């Protein structure tokens, strides 16, 4: 149990600091913890003469719950400010601004390869099959009507069926060779119906075929929230601001991952189409894990937020911590920390 569970908080007690892994703010390796938040807090603790211990949680939810029950003294992960948190906790001066970002897959295949793959795709073959069914249907009907009185152009048997298919294809494409034409009144009526029908469907089929062959050769064109809402295979990190954002916008995540790095690796395997997560974290992970060729961070930002430290209500150390935080983020040392973790914007 944290220090605030005691009847009296004594100066000099060890503060219990809650953290969860969130690169580049909280990073864990064989040497211990590092990251922008860790570096910032340890400088603050040294200046204030505070002793502390880290307690690691799996996600933000665990930290918030522990703060609620006074089992922690402080959270140093960059927590988003919100009206509900301001009512329940003491929120420090914001030390970083962040937002929700979107990462997509990067197309490494050539346009020719993608065209060939799409040419033999199921969608394209379905369009071609439907077209053949319509052509065969009208060709068969005309052959059945013409086969007796026009047997030289629409021959008996299986060859006559091919004659009907040939006539339907030539008529639909408006080539008009004239080598086959109906002679009976019923056949001419069927031909008129087919001519007008073909004019209507040929434009539709042409557009559908062209779209099927080319739409997948283009990279995802996500320019705003409406475009993002059309994506089906969205990946998020569980209990993150990205997951909350998708829920608020009525989007249903396709897969939920424990860490952003797991999500990025799934994106590189094309298990998902996009990741919605903290933009700063995505940019850092893509760079440090050399995923630039497989993941592309879009120049989009959603839900810009101020991020702060959080402490329980009426914590006796809050004023000291908040004052020192303001001092630190105005110092050269903080700028160097931001540069160290590729967070500084010139």
């Amino acid at each position: 149990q944290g220090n605030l569970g005691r009847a009296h908080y004594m100066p000099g007690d060890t503060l219990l600091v809650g953290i969860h892994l969130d690169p580049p703010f909280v990073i864990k390796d064989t040497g211990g913890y590092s990251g922008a938040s860790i570096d910032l807090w340890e400088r603050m603790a040294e200046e204030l003469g505070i002793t502390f211990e880290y307690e690691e949680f799996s996600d933000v939810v665990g930290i918030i719950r522990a703060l609620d029950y006074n089992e922690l003294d402080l959270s140093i992960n960059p927590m988003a400010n919100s009206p509900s948190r301001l009512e329940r906790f003491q929120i420090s001066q914001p030390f970083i601004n962040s937002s929700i970002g979107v990462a997509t897959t990067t197309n490494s295949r050539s346009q020719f390869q993608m065209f060939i793959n799409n040419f033999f795709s199921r969608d394209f073959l379905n369009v071609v099959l439907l077209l053949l069914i319509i052509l065969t249907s009208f060709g068969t009907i005309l052959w059945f009507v013409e086969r007796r009185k026009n047997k030289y152009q629409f021959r008996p048997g299986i060859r006559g069926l091919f004659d009907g298919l040939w006539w339907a294809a030539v008529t639909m494409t408006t080539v008009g060779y004239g080598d086959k034409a109906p002679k009976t009144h019923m056949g001419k009526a069927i031909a008129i119906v087919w001519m007008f029908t073909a004019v209507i469907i040929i434009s539709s089929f042409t557009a559908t075929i062209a779209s099927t062959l080319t739409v997948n050769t283009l990279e995802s064109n996500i320019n705003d929230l409406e475009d993002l809402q059309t994506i089906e295979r969205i990946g998020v990190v569980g209990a993150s601001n990205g997951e909350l954002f998708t829920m608020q916008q009525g989007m249903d995540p396709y897969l939920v991952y424990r860490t952003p790095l797991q999500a990025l690796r799934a994106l590189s395997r094309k298990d998902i189409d996009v990741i919605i997560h903290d933009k700063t974290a995505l940019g850092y992970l893509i760079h440090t894990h050399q995923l630039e060729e497989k993941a592309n961070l879009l120049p989009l930002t959603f839900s810009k937020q101020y991020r702060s430290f959080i402490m329980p209500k009426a914590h006796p150390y809050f004023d000291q911590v908040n004052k020192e935080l303001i001092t630190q983020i105005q110092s050269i040392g903080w700028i160097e920390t931001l540069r160290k973790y590729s967070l500084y914007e010139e």
Side-chain angles (χ1 to χ4, degrees):
Q1 184 125 10
N3 294 319
L4 292 187
R6 304 171 184 175
H8 300 285
Y9 191 96
M10 300 296 295
D13 284 348
T14 300
L15 295 188
L16 198 56
V17 179
I19 56 174
H20 75 93
L21 300 185
D22 182 23
F25 300 102
V26 178
I27 305 167
K28 186 177 183 180
D29 53 31
T30 55
Y33 295 108
S34 61
S37 290
I38 297 292
D39 291 2
L40 174 61
W41 165 247
E42 291 185 355
R43 282 199 306 271
M44 291 172 56
E46 183 179 359
E47 289 294 325
L48 294 171
I50 293 176
T51 58
F52 65 91
E53 293 179 359
Y54 290 127
E55 182 168 342
E56 184 179 327
F57 292 79
S58 60
D59 53 39
V60 176
V61 175
I63 292 179
I64 294 297
R65 185 181 296 113
L67 287 168
D68 234 352
Y69 285 96
N70 288 337
E71 295 173 352
L72 283 178
D73 295 301
L74 171 67
S75 167
I76 63 170
N77 281 86
M79 297 281 195
N81 293 343
S82 68
S84 63
R85 287 181 179 173
L86 285 170
E87 290 179 3
R88 295 163 58 192
F89 308 110
Q90 287 183 296
I91 309 296
S92 75
Q93 165 75 23
F95 67 95
I96 196 90
N97 294 339
S98 191
S99 59
I100 300 299
V102 180
T104 65
T105 56
T106 300
N107 251 326
S108 59
R109 297 178 298 173
S110 69
Q111 294 293 316
F112 177 75
Q113 286 177 315
M114 290 186 289
F115 180 84
I116 294 298
N117 289 339
N118 290 326
F119 189 85
F120 292 101
S121 68
R122 178 176 296 181
D123 290 340
F124 176 73
L125 294 177
N126 286 340
V127 172
V128 173
L129 179 61
L130 182 58
L131 179 60
L132 287 174
I133 291 172
I134 294 174
L135 286 171
T136 302
S137 299
F138 271 93
T140 301
I141 293 171
L142 189 73
W143 167 77
F144 185 80
V145 172
E146 293 286 316
R147 73 188 193 284
R148 293 181 179 174
K149 296 186 178 180
N150 193 7
K151 60 183 179 181
Y152 293 106
Q153 293 187 29
F154 296 91
R155 295 166 291 180
I158 191 69
R159 293 182 300 175
L161 293 175
F162 283 108
D163 292 336
L165 178 61
W166 172 256
W167 169 84
V170 168
T171 303
M172 185 188 73
T173 56
T174 67
V175 174
Y177 286 122
D179 55 337
K180 302 197 182 291
K183 292 184 177 180
T184 66
H185 294 301
M186 179 62 72
K188 291 177 181 178
I190 293 171
I192 291 173
V193 172
W194 172 238
M195 289 174 192
F196 282 101
T197 303
V199 169
I200 296 172
I201 69 171
I202 190 65
S203 57
S204 175
F205 271 109
T206 301
T208 302
I209 292 172
S211 175
T212 303
L213 287 176
T214 60
V215 69
N216 291 325
T217 67
L218 303 176
E219 292 186 4
S220 297
N221 190 19
I222 304 174
N223 296 311
D224 51 33
L225 182 58
E226 289 186 4
D227 294 335
L228 187 60
Q229 289 172 329
T230 64
I231 306 299
E232 294 183 359
R233 301 196 308 161
I234 295 174
V236 298
V237 177
S240 69
N241 289 316
E243 183 181 36
L244 178 61
F245 173 77
T246 59
M247 294 169 60
Q248 291 173 340
Q249 301 303 324
M251 294 181 284
D252 186 20
Y254 179 74
L255 287 173
V256 180
Y257 299 90
R258 290 191 61 189
T259 67
L261 184 57
Q262 288 180 347
L264 280 169
R265 286 172 175 164
L267 184 71
S268 67
R269 296 192 303 267
K270 301 188 185 298
D271 293 341
I272 51 178
D273 296 322
V274 302
I275 298 172
I276 298 177
H277 190 62
D278 181 86
K279 188 172 185 179
T280 303
L282 287 176
Y284 175 82
L285 290 171
I286 289 172
H287 175 70
T288 55
H289 291 271
Q290 299 178 344
L291 295 173
E292 288 89 351
E293 294 184 0
K294 297 181 178 180
N296 177 37
L297 185 60
L298 300 181
L300 294 175
T301 54
F302 300 104
S303 186
K304 291 185 178 180
Q305 296 173 326
Y306 295 106
R307 307 295 178 94
S308 307
F309 289 174
I310 296 182
M311 301 180 77
K313 278 288 187 183
H315 195 289
Y317 272 45
F318 175 75
D319 288 339
Q320 295 179 56
V321 168
N322 193 42
K323 181 179 178 180
E324 183 61 30
L325 175 61
I326 294 172
T327 300
Q328 289 293 332
I329 62 177
Q330 292 177 346
S331 69
I332 297 298
W334 177 235
I335 295 176
E336 292 174 351
T337 298
L338 294 176
R339 285 176 174 157
K340 176 181 177 181
Y341 296 100
S342 303
L343 298 174
Y344 185 69
E345 296 181 2
E346 298 290 346

mmCIF file of all heavy atoms in Angstrom, residues 19-28 33-40 76-78 95-98 278-281 284 307 334 338 341 343:
data_model
loop_
_atom_site.group_PDB
_atom_site.id
_atom_site.type_symbol
_atom_site.label_atom_id
_atom_site.label_comp_id
_atom_site.label_asym_id
_atom_site.label_seq_id
_atom_site.Cartn_x
_atom_site.Cartn_y
_atom_site.Cartn_z
ATOM 1 N N ILE A 19 4.344 3.853 -12.951
ATOM 2 C CA ILE A 19 4.729 4.003 -14.355
ATOM 3 C C ILE A 19 4.187 2.816 -15.145
ATOM 4 O O ILE A 19 3.898 1.759 -14.584
ATOM 5 C CB ILE A 19 6.262 4.069 -14.540
ATOM 6 C CG1 ILE A 19 6.925 2.826 -13.935
ATOM 7 C CG2 ILE A 19 6.826 5.348 -13.941
ATOM 8 C CD1 ILE A 19 8.411 2.737 -14.195
ATOM 9 N N HIS A 20 4.025 3.013 -16.452
ATOM 10 C CA HIS A 20 3.799 1.894 -17.367
ATOM 11 C C HIS A 20 4.641 2.140 -18.609
ATOM 12 O O HIS A 20 4.939 3.296 -18.958
ATOM 13 C CB HIS A 20 2.314 1.714 -17.704
ATOM 14 C CG HIS A 20 1.773 2.742 -18.655
ATOM 15 N ND1 HIS A 20 1.730 2.549 -20.010
ATOM 16 C CD2 HIS A 20 1.240 3.972 -18.428
ATOM 17 C CE1 HIS A 20 1.192 3.600 -20.597
ATOM 18 N NE2 HIS A 20 0.884 4.482 -19.656
ATOM 19 N N LEU A 21 5.056 1.072 -19.254
ATOM 20 C CA LEU A 21 5.962 1.195 -20.396
ATOM 21 C C LEU A 21 5.272 1.947 -21.525
ATOM 22 O O LEU A 21 4.204 1.548 -22.009
ATOM 23 C CB LEU A 21 6.414 -0.187 -20.861
ATOM 24 C CG LEU A 21 7.155 -1.026 -19.813
ATOM 25 C CD1 LEU A 21 7.656 -2.328 -20.427
ATOM 26 C CD2 LEU A 21 8.308 -0.240 -19.192
ATOM 27 N N ASP A 22 5.901 3.034 -21.944
ATOM 28 C CA ASP A 22 5.302 3.906 -22.952
ATOM 29 C C ASP A 22 6.413 4.691 -23.640
ATOM 30 O O ASP A 22 6.593 5.883 -23.382
ATOM 31 C CB ASP A 22 4.298 4.851 -22.281
ATOM 32 C CG ASP A 22 3.593 5.751 -23.280
ATOM 33 O OD1 ASP A 22 3.528 5.395 -24.479
ATOM 34 O OD2 ASP A 22 3.113 6.836 -22.870
ATOM 35 N N PRO A 23 7.202 4.021 -24.504
ATOM 36 C CA PRO A 23 8.283 4.723 -25.205
ATOM 37 C C PRO A 23 7.734 5.904 -26.015
ATOM 38 O O PRO A 23 6.654 5.780 -26.600
ATOM 39 C CB PRO A 23 8.854 3.649 -26.141
ATOM 40 C CG PRO A 23 8.418 2.347 -25.536
ATOM 41 C CD PRO A 23 7.097 2.622 -24.906
ATOM 42 N N PRO A 24 8.415 7.041 -26.056
ATOM 43 C CA PRO A 24 9.756 7.321 -25.521
ATOM 44 C C PRO A 24 9.746 7.923 -24.120
ATOM 45 O O PRO A 24 10.750 8.444 -23.677
ATOM 46 C CB PRO A 24 10.279 8.336 -26.528
ATOM 47 C CG PRO A 24 9.051 9.114 -26.905
ATOM 48 C CD PRO A 24 7.922 8.118 -26.915
ATOM 49 N N PHE A 25 8.582 7.880 -23.445
ATOM 50 C CA PHE A 25 8.492 8.502 -22.125
ATOM 51 C C PHE A 25 8.952 7.564 -21.010
ATOM 52 O O PHE A 25 9.624 8.000 -20.083
ATOM 53 C CB PHE A 25 7.059 8.978 -21.882
ATOM 54 C CG PHE A 25 6.592 9.985 -22.887
ATOM 55 C CD1 PHE A 25 5.745 9.619 -23.927
ATOM 56 C CD2 PHE A 25 7.022 11.294 -22.817
ATOM 57 C CE1 PHE A 25 5.327 10.542 -24.863
ATOM 58 C CE2 PHE A 25 6.611 12.236 -23.756
ATOM 59 C CZ PHE A 25 5.767 11.859 -24.785
ATOM 60 N N VAL A 26 8.576 6.301 -21.105
ATOM 61 C CA VAL A 26 9.031 5.307 -20.131
ATOM 62 C C VAL A 26 9.511 4.088 -20.913
ATOM 63 O O VAL A 26 8.719 3.447 -21.616
ATOM 64 C CB VAL A 26 7.917 4.906 -19.151
ATOM 65 C CG1 VAL A 26 8.426 3.830 -18.187
ATOM 66 C CG2 VAL A 26 7.425 6.121 -18.368
ATOM 67 N N ILE A 27 10.803 3.795 -20.808
ATOM 68 C CA ILE A 27 11.432 2.692 -21.537
ATOM 69 C C ILE A 27 12.110 1.780 -20.512
ATOM 70 O O ILE A 27 12.679 2.255 -19.523
ATOM 71 C CB ILE A 27 12.480 3.220 -22.539
ATOM 72 C CG1 ILE A 27 11.847 4.262 -23.483
ATOM 73 C CG2 ILE A 27 13.091 2.080 -23.345
ATOM 74 C CD1 ILE A 27 12.861 5.064 -24.278
ATOM 75 N N LYS A 28 12.049 0.488 -20.752
ATOM 76 C CA LYS A 28 12.692 -0.469 -19.846
ATOM 77 C C LYS A 28 13.678 -1.321 -20.632
ATOM 78 O O LYS A 28 13.346 -1.878 -21.675
ATOM 79 C CB LYS A 28 11.644 -1.358 -19.175
ATOM 80 C CG LYS A 28 12.211 -2.284 -18.105
ATOM 81 C CD LYS A 28 11.093 -3.079 -17.436
ATOM 82 C CE LYS A 28 11.614 -3.949 -16.315
ATOM 83 N NZ LYS A 28 10.529 -4.730 -15.663
ATOM 84 N N TYR A 33 15.138 1.653 -16.019
ATOM 85 C CA TYR A 33 14.162 2.518 -16.701
ATOM 86 C C TYR A 33 14.855 3.759 -17.264
ATOM 87 O O TYR A 33 15.789 4.299 -16.669
ATOM 88 C CB TYR A 33 13.068 2.959 -15.743
ATOM 89 C CG TYR A 33 12.196 1.830 -15.237
ATOM 90 C CD1 TYR A 33 12.297 1.393 -13.917
ATOM 91 C CD2 TYR A 33 11.281 1.207 -16.074
ATOM 92 C CE1 TYR A 33 11.500 0.355 -13.453
ATOM 93 C CE2 TYR A 33 10.473 0.175 -15.614
ATOM 94 C CZ TYR A 33 10.596 -0.250 -14.310
ATOM 95 O OH TYR A 33 9.807 -1.271 -13.853
ATOM 96 N N SER A 34 14.358 4.191 -18.408
ATOM 97 C CA SER A 34 14.809 5.440 -19.013
ATOM 98 C C SER A 34 13.631 6.030 -19.772
ATOM 99 O O SER A 34 12.538 5.488 -19.761
ATOM 100 C CB SER A 34 15.999 5.201 -19.952
ATOM 101 O OG SER A 34 15.628 4.324 -21.010
ATOM 102 N N GLY A 35 13.880 7.161 -20.423
ATOM 103 C CA GLY A 35 12.814 7.811 -21.179
ATOM 104 C C GLY A 35 12.658 9.255 -20.747
ATOM 105 O O GLY A 35 13.226 9.703 -19.734
ATOM 106 N N ALA A 36 11.892 10.009 -21.510
ATOM 107 C CA ALA A 36 11.735 11.447 -21.242
ATOM 108 C C ALA A 36 11.116 11.702 -19.876
ATOM 109 O O ALA A 36 11.571 12.578 -19.124
ATOM 110 C CB ALA A 36 10.890 12.084 -22.344
ATOM 111 N N SER A 37 10.069 10.963 -19.517
ATOM 112 C CA SER A 37 9.432 11.162 -18.209
ATOM 113 C C SER A 37 10.347 10.729 -17.073
ATOM 114 O O SER A 37 10.397 11.384 -16.018
ATOM 115 C CB SER A 37 8.116 10.370 -18.145
ATOM 116 O OG SER A 37 7.145 10.936 -18.981
ATOM 117 N N ILE A 38 11.055 9.626 -17.277
ATOM 118 C CA ILE A 38 11.973 9.135 -16.244
ATOM 119 C C ILE A 38 13.084 10.149 -16.002
ATOM 120 O O ILE A 38 13.395 10.499 -14.844
ATOM 121 C CB ILE A 38 12.571 7.770 -16.658
ATOM 122 C CG1 ILE A 38 11.469 6.710 -16.785
ATOM 123 C CG2 ILE A 38 13.642 7.341 -15.670
ATOM 124 C CD1 ILE A 38 10.815 6.315 -15.507
ATOM 125 N N ASP A 39 13.718 10.633 -17.072
ATOM 126 C CA ASP A 39 14.804 11.609 -16.930
ATOM 127 C C ASP A 39 14.310 12.879 -16.237
ATOM 128 O O ASP A 39 14.985 13.435 -15.364
ATOM 129 C CB ASP A 39 15.388 11.965 -18.297
ATOM 130 C CG ASP A 39 16.154 10.795 -18.917
ATOM 131 O OD1 ASP A 39 16.191 9.711 -18.293
ATOM 132 O OD2 ASP A 39 16.707 10.972 -20.019
ATOM 133 N N LEU A 40 13.117 13.340 -16.647
ATOM 134 C CA LEU A 40 12.548 14.557 -16.054
ATOM 135 C C LEU A 40 12.294 14.368 -14.561
ATOM 136 O O LEU A 40 12.683 15.208 -13.742
ATOM 137 C CB LEU A 40 11.256 14.917 -16.783
ATOM 138 C CG LEU A 40 10.445 16.079 -16.206
ATOM 139 C CD1 LEU A 40 11.260 17.372 -16.226
ATOM 140 C CD2 LEU A 40 9.137 16.260 -16.989
ATOM 141 N N ILE A 76 4.006 9.523 -13.401
ATOM 142 C CA ILE A 76 4.841 10.410 -14.230
ATOM 143 C C ILE A 76 4.691 10.126 -15.716
ATOM 144 O O ILE A 76 5.321 10.801 -16.533
ATOM 145 C CB ILE A 76 6.323 10.320 -13.824
ATOM 146 C CG1 ILE A 76 6.864 8.903 -14.057
ATOM 147 C CG2 ILE A 76 6.520 10.768 -12.386
ATOM 148 C CD1 ILE A 76 8.375 8.808 -13.898
ATOM 149 N N ASN A 77 3.897 9.123 -16.103
ATOM 150 C CA ASN A 77 3.579 8.987 -17.525
ATOM 151 C C ASN A 77 2.795 10.215 -17.967
ATOM 152 O O ASN A 77 2.035 10.786 -17.173
ATOM 153 C CB ASN A 77 2.740 7.734 -17.775
ATOM 154 C CG ASN A 77 3.581 6.474 -17.793
ATOM 155 O OD1 ASN A 77 3.844 5.888 -16.759
ATOM 156 N ND2 ASN A 77 4.004 6.057 -18.976
ATOM 157 N N PRO A 78 2.965 10.650 -19.200
ATOM 158 C CA PRO A 78 2.211 11.830 -19.651
ATOM 159 C C PRO A 78 0.719 11.518 -19.776
ATOM 160 O O PRO A 78 0.267 10.963 -20.767
ATOM 161 C CB PRO A 78 2.846 12.163 -21.008
ATOM 162 C CG PRO A 78 3.458 10.885 -21.472
ATOM 163 C CD PRO A 78 3.870 10.133 -20.244
ATOM 164 N N PHE A 95 3.581 19.138 -19.257
ATOM 165 C CA PHE A 95 4.986 19.166 -19.655
ATOM 166 C C PHE A 95 5.192 18.713 -21.097
ATOM 167 O O PHE A 95 6.294 18.795 -21.621
ATOM 168 C CB PHE A 95 5.839 18.310 -18.717
ATOM 169 C CG PHE A 95 5.580 16.828 -18.769
ATOM 170 C CD1 PHE A 95 6.352 15.995 -19.561
ATOM 171 C CD2 PHE A 95 4.557 16.261 -18.032
ATOM 172 C CE1 PHE A 95 6.126 14.631 -19.606
ATOM 173 C CE2 PHE A 95 4.321 14.897 -18.064
ATOM 174 C CZ PHE A 95 5.103 14.081 -18.856
ATOM 175 N N ILE A 96 4.140 18.249 -21.760
ATOM 176 C CA ILE A 96 4.259 17.854 -23.169
ATOM 177 C C ILE A 96 2.883 17.936 -23.803
ATOM 178 O O ILE A 96 1.862 17.738 -23.135
ATOM 179 C CB ILE A 96 4.824 16.410 -23.305
ATOM 180 C CG1 ILE A 96 5.318 16.127 -24.719
ATOM 181 C CG2 ILE A 96 3.797 15.385 -22.900
ATOM 182 C CD1 ILE A 96 6.737 16.448 -24.960
ATOM 183 N N ASN A 97 2.835 18.281 -25.065
ATOM 184 C CA ASN A 97 1.596 18.227 -25.837
ATOM 185 C C ASN A 97 1.650 17.016 -26.747
ATOM 186 O O ASN A 97 2.698 16.709 -27.316
ATOM 187 C CB ASN A 97 1.413 19.486 -26.695
ATOM 188 C CG ASN A 97 1.207 20.719 -25.859
ATOM 189 O OD1 ASN A 97 0.818 20.628 -24.693
ATOM 190 N ND2 ASN A 97 1.465 21.883 -26.435
ATOM 191 N N SER A 98 0.551 16.334 -26.882
ATOM 192 C CA SER A 98 0.526 15.160 -27.739
ATOM 193 C C SER A 98 -0.818 15.063 -28.438
ATOM 194 O O SER A 98 -1.729 15.856 -28.178
ATOM 195 C CB SER A 98 0.793 13.890 -26.922
ATOM 196 O OG SER A 98 1.013 12.783 -27.771
ATOM 197 N N ASP A 278 -0.974 7.127 -29.935
ATOM 198 C CA ASP A 278 -0.276 8.378 -29.662
ATOM 199 C C ASP A 278 0.761 8.645 -30.762
ATOM 200 O O ASP A 278 1.614 7.797 -31.054
ATOM 201 C CB ASP A 278 0.415 8.292 -28.301
ATOM 202 C CG ASP A 278 1.134 9.580 -27.961
ATOM 203 O OD1 ASP A 278 0.489 10.487 -27.424
ATOM 204 O OD2 ASP A 278 2.352 9.677 -28.249
ATOM 205 N N LYS A 279 0.687 9.821 -31.356
ATOM 206 C CA LYS A 279 1.531 10.126 -32.510
ATOM 207 C C LYS A 279 3.006 10.165 -32.142
ATOM 208 O O LYS A 279 3.864 9.692 -32.898
ATOM 209 C CB LYS A 279 1.110 11.464 -33.117
ATOM 210 C CG LYS A 279 1.797 11.785 -34.436
ATOM 211 C CD LYS A 279 1.209 13.023 -35.083
ATOM 212 C CE LYS A 279 1.825 13.257 -36.464
ATOM 213 N NZ LYS A 279 1.235 14.455 -37.109
ATOM 214 N N THR A 280 3.325 10.729 -30.974
ATOM 215 C CA THR A 280 4.718 10.803 -30.548
ATOM 216 C C THR A 280 5.315 9.409 -30.382
ATOM 217 O O THR A 280 6.432 9.133 -30.832
ATOM 218 C CB THR A 280 4.822 11.574 -29.226
ATOM 219 O OG1 THR A 280 4.257 12.874 -29.394
ATOM 220 C CG2 THR A 280 6.267 11.708 -28.785
ATOM 221 N N ALA A 281 4.555 8.518 -29.740
ATOM 222 C CA ALA A 281 5.047 7.156 -29.517
ATOM 223 C C ALA A 281 5.230 6.415 -30.834
ATOM 224 O O ALA A 281 6.226 5.702 -31.024
ATOM 225 C CB ALA A 281 4.071 6.399 -28.616
ATOM 226 N N TYR A 284 8.390 7.672 -32.653
ATOM 227 C CA TYR A 284 9.602 7.208 -31.975
ATOM 228 C C TYR A 284 9.867 5.737 -32.277
ATOM 229 O O TYR A 284 10.990 5.349 -32.593
ATOM 230 C CB TYR A 284 9.448 7.428 -30.470
ATOM 231 C CG TYR A 284 10.597 6.878 -29.654
ATOM 232 C CD1 TYR A 284 11.768 7.609 -29.500
ATOM 233 C CD2 TYR A 284 10.501 5.635 -29.029
ATOM 234 C CE1 TYR A 284 12.828 7.106 -28.751
ATOM 235 C CE2 TYR A 284 11.556 5.129 -28.290
ATOM 236 C CZ TYR A 284 12.713 5.860 -28.155
ATOM 237 O OH TYR A 284 13.766 5.365 -27.423
ATOM 238 N N ARG A 307 -0.478 16.949 -21.592
ATOM 239 C CA ARG A 307 -0.153 15.790 -20.760
ATOM 240 C C ARG A 307 0.611 16.239 -19.512
ATOM 241 O O ARG A 307 1.515 17.080 -19.608
ATOM 242 C CB ARG A 307 0.685 14.782 -21.551
ATOM 243 C CG ARG A 307 0.066 14.356 -22.895
ATOM 244 C CD ARG A 307 -1.227 13.587 -22.689
ATOM 245 N NE ARG A 307 -1.851 13.222 -23.948
ATOM 246 C CZ ARG A 307 -1.663 12.050 -24.550
ATOM 247 N NH1 ARG A 307 -0.874 11.147 -23.999
ATOM 248 N NH2 ARG A 307 -2.280 11.787 -25.680
ATOM 249 N N TRP A 334 15.717 20.216 -20.062
ATOM 250 C CA TRP A 334 14.515 19.620 -20.646
ATOM 251 C C TRP A 334 14.598 19.616 -22.166
ATOM 252 O O TRP A 334 14.198 18.652 -22.826
ATOM 253 C CB TRP A 334 13.279 20.362 -20.174
ATOM 254 C CG TRP A 334 11.986 19.881 -20.753
ATOM 255 C CD1 TRP A 334 11.059 20.624 -21.420
ATOM 256 C CD2 TRP A 334 11.454 18.547 -20.713
ATOM 257 N NE1 TRP A 334 9.991 19.850 -21.793
ATOM 258 C CE2 TRP A 334 10.202 18.561 -21.369
ATOM 259 C CE3 TRP A 334 11.912 17.337 -20.202
ATOM 260 C CZ2 TRP A 334 9.414 17.432 -21.523
ATOM 261 C CZ3 TRP A 334 11.130 16.200 -20.347
ATOM 262 C CH2 TRP A 334 9.903 16.254 -20.990
ATOM 263 N N LEU A 338 14.413 16.358 -24.598
ATOM 264 C CA LEU A 338 13.530 16.224 -25.761
ATOM 265 C C LEU A 338 14.320 15.862 -26.998
ATOM 266 O O LEU A 338 13.884 15.027 -27.808
ATOM 267 C CB LEU A 338 12.753 17.523 -25.976
ATOM 268 C CG LEU A 338 11.734 17.907 -24.891
ATOM 269 C CD1 LEU A 338 11.113 19.270 -25.193
ATOM 270 C CD2 LEU A 338 10.636 16.850 -24.790
ATOM 271 N N TYR A 341 15.438 12.145 -27.089
ATOM 272 C CA TYR A 341 14.424 11.170 -27.472
ATOM 273 C C TYR A 341 13.651 11.583 -28.731
ATOM 274 O O TYR A 341 12.542 11.113 -28.973
ATOM 275 C CB TYR A 341 13.450 10.944 -26.306
ATOM 276 C CG TYR A 341 14.132 10.326 -25.096
ATOM 277 C CD1 TYR A 341 14.505 11.120 -24.009
ATOM 278 C CD2 TYR A 341 14.441 8.973 -25.074
ATOM 279 C CE1 TYR A 341 15.144 10.559 -22.905
ATOM 280 C CE2 TYR A 341 15.080 8.411 -23.975
ATOM 281 C CZ TYR A 341 15.433 9.205 -22.909
ATOM 282 O OH TYR A 341 16.074 8.646 -21.823
ATOM 283 N N LEU A 343 12.119 14.286 -29.592
ATOM 284 C CA LEU A 343 10.825 14.895 -29.332
ATOM 285 C C LEU A 343 10.837 16.417 -29.521
ATOM 286 O O LEU A 343 9.783 17.049 -29.501
ATOM 287 C CB LEU A 343 10.370 14.600 -27.896
ATOM 288 C CG LEU A 343 10.165 13.137 -27.529
ATOM 289 C CD1 LEU A 343 9.851 13.001 -26.045
ATOM 290 C CD2 LEU A 343 9.044 12.548 -28.358
#
